[in-house]
Amino acid sequence: MALATDPQRRDVTGDIPYGVRMAAAWSWRIAIIIGCTGLLLWLLSHVSLLVIPLMIAALLAGLLMPVVRLLRRWRVPNGLATGLTMVAFLAVITGLLLLVGRTMAAGMMSLWQQALTGISQVQHWLSTGPLHLTNQDVDRYVDGALKQLQSNSDTILSGAVSWGSTLGHFAAGLLLALFSLVFFLLEGERIWTFIVRLMPRKARAATDGAGRKGWVSLVNYVRVQLFVAFIDAVGIGVGAAILGVPLALPLGGLVFVGSFIPVIGALVTGALAVLLALVANGWVNALIMLGVVLLVQQAESHILQPLVMGRAVSLHPLAVVLAVAGGSLIAGIAGALFAVPVLAVLNTMVRYISARGWETPGSDATDGDPPPGPATALTAPADLDGESEAVPPQRPRTGEPPR
């Protein structure tokens, strides 16, 4: 027996304004997206020892893959081409580290003497300047600082132990990155094919196309950033050498590494260059060095970034700054390093999927707009295993039967 409908009962949904309903519908969807993203980041933070080496290996694979492909064109077997590339890469890195280490060891002695001279000058200024501190006052402050260090010896010891654990994690991550890099160069296509096959059959074409577009964007970003970092290192290193700043070669190498962290890396390495000039040659030389650093960074910001980086990765400068700031807050240095490439890859993949680029074989589909013209293909792109699915013909809008 059916229950009678209460005539006094009414649907209150119609009483809610349309704007409130739309805001509520958007709110719970956005809340789910934010919650899932936060959960994913929380899970990744617990396996950072695995994630960070894999990301570093992916960046290096993008740089070294052209060398492997060139050797393959020269009829070199795949395994031998990968081995030769890895040996050459490690030889170059080791040679650069040895060169920088020897230069730094040779320059540290003179820099240390200059630092001692600077400390004596500071002590003389403290005694003859407006503070009028005697040697006994300076010694008392130094003894107080030493006692403070002795009282916090437990904290310092625990910090040293944590640094030892960090070095152990760094060594393990380095080995994992090199091991992953070998297999990325050797069997990268097979690994990607296996990942795509995990997707549902109808989503494989979209996943494959978006992943390949994202990989191209990542490789372009790394190559352009490598070029920009080289220009920064040469500009600041040559300027430091001309001005007589000690450790010009190691400083150039540090600028090269720091330039891979946008905004923050250039700021820190530039400040270090000015500090070295101040300690070694005085404030006039430091001001000139500051001008050189500002000139190089302005050339990077207004010439290299718009002309080179803008064409490789379509990211607004504000998006880059926000990505670096957010990445550093979430994951520290690693977050600042990988925030921009991850954002570039996601940007390319989302635009490819929104444009449905896999439905138009041969098109780049890098824009957010759909391809121009009517869709003439009646067959969906084939999956990775060679199968394809027919698209049913569309029925005319006039109500006539299909032809």
Side-chain angles (χ1 to χ4, degrees):
M1 179 178 179
L3 297 176
T5 304
D6 186 3
Q8 301 296 328
R9 187 178 179 181
R10 53 182 297 182
D11 186 10
V12 297
T13 305
D15 296 335
I16 301 177
Y18 177 76
V20 175
R21 283 182 287 166
M22 289 297 299
W26 276 99
S27 297
W28 69 263
R29 288 176 172 87
I30 293 176
I32 291 178
I33 293 175
I34 294 176
C36 292
T37 303
L39 179 61
L40 178 62
L41 293 176
W42 181 78
L43 293 175
L44 291 178
S45 66
H46 285 73
V47 291
S48 59
L49 186 60
L50 299 178
V51 176
I52 294 177
L54 288 178
M55 297 182 70
I56 294 176
L59 295 178
L60 295 177
L63 290 176
L64 300 179
M65 186 61 72
V67 180
V68 177
R69 291 176 178 173
L70 179 62
L71 293 177
R72 290 174 185 172
R73 294 193 192 101
W74 292 349
R75 305 295 183 181
V76 178
N78 186 22
L80 182 58
T82 302
L84 291 176
T85 303
M86 288 295 301
V87 170
F89 171 71
L90 294 177
V92 170
I93 296 298
T94 304
L96 291 177
L97 290 178
L98 290 176
L99 179 62
V100 172
R102 289 182 178 180
T103 306
M104 184 175 294
M108 283 300 294
M109 295 303 298
S110 61
L111 185 62
W112 177 252
Q113 296 296 330
Q114 293 172 351
L116 292 179
T117 304
I119 292 174
S120 63
Q121 293 176 356
V122 170
Q123 290 178 346
H124 179 73
W125 179 83
L126 289 175
S127 60
T128 61
L131 298 179
H132 297 289
L133 295 178
T134 63
N135 293 332
Q136 291 78 9
D137 295 331
V138 175
D139 293 338
R140 186 170 63 252
Y141 290 134
V142 172
D143 293 339
L146 292 177
K147 291 180 180 178
Q148 188 68 22
L149 289 176
Q150 292 176 357
S151 62
N152 294 329
S153 58
D154 295 337
T155 304
I156 297 174
L157 181 60
S158 62
V161 172
S162 64
W163 270 104
S165 177
T166 302
L167 290 177
H169 290 167
F170 175 78
L174 180 61
L175 293 177
L176 180 59
L178 294 176
F179 188 76
S180 303
L181 177 59
V182 171
F183 283 96
F184 284 169
L185 296 176
L186 187 64
E187 298 180 339
E189 187 68 26
R190 294 181 58 185
I191 294 174
W192 175 244
T193 302
F194 172 77
I195 294 175
V196 174
R197 284 182 179 273
L198 298 177
M199 300 292 109
R201 186 177 301 274
K202 293 183 179 181
R204 290 179 184 177
T207 304
D208 183 57
R212 293 182 185 276
K213 291 295 180 183
W215 174 257
V216 171
S217 178
L218 176 64
V219 172
N220 290 337
Y221 170 81
V222 175
R223 292 175 181 175
V224 171
Q225 192 63 38
L226 184 67
F227 173 73
V228 173
F230 176 76
I231 297 298
D232 288 346
V234 170
I236 296 179
V238 172
I242 294 175
L243 294 175
V245 178
L247 305 179
L249 181 60
L251 180 62
L254 187 61
V255 171
F256 178 80
V257 175
S259 297
F260 282 90
I261 303 178
V263 183
I264 298 178
L267 180 63
V268 173
T269 54
L272 181 59
V274 176
L275 181 61
L276 286 176
L278 178 63
V279 172
N281 302 329
W283 64 272
V284 177
N285 192 272
L287 289 178
I288 300 175
M289 190 67 224
L290 177 61
V292 172
V293 171
L294 293 178
L295 178 63
V296 173
Q297 293 182 358
Q298 290 299 315
E300 174 196 346
S301 306
H302 295 87
I303 298 176
L304 295 179
Q305 292 287 355
L307 295 180
V308 182
M309 183 67 74
R311 296 181 179 179
V313 182
S314 299
L315 290 178
H316 194 274
L318 179 60
V320 174
V321 173
L322 293 178
V324 173
S328 61
L329 290 176
I330 295 174
I333 297 178
L337 177 62
F338 293 109
V340 177
V342 168
L343 182 62
V345 171
L346 291 178
N347 178 50
T348 303
M349 295 176 66
V350 169
R351 294 172 65 183
Y352 177 87
I353 293 176
S354 64
R356 305 186 67 85
W358 67 93
E359 295 181 350
T360 309
S363 65
D364 292 337
T366 56
D367 298 329
D369 299 331
T376 56
L378 295 179
T379 304
D383 291 329
L384 294 178
D385 51 4
E387 300 180 10
S388 61
E389 299 178 0
V391 177
Q394 298 181 355
R395 185 178 298 273
R397 298 180 179 179
T398 57
E400 300 177 359
R403 297 179 180 177

